[in-house]
Amino acid sequence: MKKLLLCLLGLISPLYAGDSMPDDLVIIQKPIIFDEKRKALTLQYMQQRYGMVQDEPVIEPKMVVVHWTVIPTFEQTFAAFNPPELPAARDGIRAGGNLNVSSQFVIDRDGTVYQLMPETTMARHTIGLNYTAIGIENIADGNSLPMTEAQLAANTKLITYLAGKYPIEHVLGHSEYHRFRDTDWWKETNPNYFTEKNDPDIVFMQRLRSSLSALSLKPLP
C-alpha cells in the first residue's frame, strides 16, 4: 500500500513497485533534463570517446562507480547536473566534450536515494567507463562532510538491488577507476584524457565491498 501511494504521488516510478524492490529501499524519482540536445550530446560523447555509434544512448550496466559530490547539498547537485551542456566553469574537462556531467543516482547524507536518469541511459561520470557503468553520487566531500553510515547502508541496498537486475561485476570508487586503464574495460580513445580522483576514500570503499560480499563481485584489476 505504501509503495502504491508513493507511485500515485509520483515519488517513485511504477518500475520500482514490483516484488524485486526491497521493502526498505525507496528510490525517489527526480529526473534531470534529458531532451533532444542532451541525447545528441550523449551520442556524440559515446562516438568520440568510445568509438560507439548508436541510435540511442543506452548502456549495458556491468559495473557501479561510487562518487562523492563535493557539492554540499542535493539541491545544488541537482542544479549542477540538470543542464544538458557542460558549463563554462568546467573547462578542465571540456576536452572530453560538451555533454554535462551527471549520474544515474544521488544519495543524500541521510541515505535518501534519488534517481536522476534511467539506469541504462549513459551518464558522464567516469572517464573511460561510462559506456557500462552506473554512477552513484553521494553528498559528501571527505572533509567537513564525510561519508555517513546512512550513505553506506543506502549504497549497499541500492547496489544489491541493481546487481539483481544487471550482471554487475565490479563496484569501484571513482578514486579507483585508474586501475581499469590497461584492461579491456577501458574505452577512452584519447590516452591523455584522464583526471586524478580521490572519491570516495578507500576505507569507505572497503567497507562497502565488504557489505556486498554476498554478491561475489570480481576483484579490481
Side-chain angles (χ1 to χ4, degrees), residues 175-194:
S175 61
E176 300 170 310
Y177 86 116
H178 64 93
R179 297 174 63 166
F180 289 80
R181 290 183 78 182
D182 295 322
T183 73
D184 291 339
W185 290 97
W186 193 259
K187 299 296 185 186
E188 173 54 46
T189 56
N190 181 356
N192 297 317
Y193 182 50
F194 182 80

Side-chain angles (χ1 to χ4, degrees), residues 3-21 27-29 115 119 161 165:
K3 286 177 182 176
L4 177 59
L5 177 60
L6 288 171
C7 288
L8 292 174
L9 292 174
L11 294 179
I12 63 172
S13 165
L15 174 65
Y16 300 112
D19 293 337
S20 62
M21 180 61 132
I27 300 176
I28 298 175
Q29 299 297 306
Q115 183 163 9
E119 297 146 12
Y161 165 67
K165 293 181 67 176

Side-chain angles (χ1 to χ4, degrees), residues 23-163:
D23 289 337
D24 58 349
L25 176 62
V26 174
I27 300 176
I28 298 175
Q29 299 297 306
K30 183 69 173 177
I32 57 174
I33 295 170
F34 206 98
D35 54 9
E36 287 301 314
K37 181 176 184 179
R38 195 174 207 129
K39 177 181 177 179
L41 288 171
T42 304
L43 291 171
Q44 182 183 59
Y45 185 99
M46 296 178 79
Q47 181 174 359
Q48 292 180 346
R49 304 265 57 86
Y50 305 138
M52 300 172 67
V53 179
Q54 300 183 181
D55 293 328
E56 298 294 333
V58 296
I59 66 171
E60 296 181 12
K62 294 184 180 179
M63 64 174 62
V64 174
V65 182
V66 181
H67 307 253
W68 64 38
T69 60
V70 179
I71 302 172
T73 69
F74 170 74
E75 291 74 18
Q76 290 172 301
T77 298
F78 182 87
F81 289 171
N82 196 35
E85 192 165 355
L86 196 69
R90 300 302 303 271
D91 278 345
I93 61 171
R94 192 170 295 279
N98 291 326
L99 174 66
N100 196 15
V101 296
S102 60
S103 66
Q104 284 84 357
F105 295 93
V106 177
I107 299 179
D108 212 339
R109 298 193 58 72
D110 64 356
T112 301
V113 179
Y114 296 92
Q115 183 163 9
L116 276 57
M117 298 173 60
E119 297 146 12
T120 55
T121 296
M122 199 210 83
R124 180 181 182 178
H125 59 92
T126 305
I127 294 171
L129 302 173
N130 293 311
Y131 74 96
T132 193
I134 293 174
I136 302 176
E137 290 277 357
N138 291 267
I139 305 300
D141 63 11
N143 294 307
S144 60
L145 297 173
M147 298 286 283
T148 68
E149 292 299 312
Q151 287 174 322
L152 176 62
N155 276 276
T156 300
K157 293 173 187 176
L158 177 58
I159 295 171
T160 299
Y161 165 67
L162 293 172

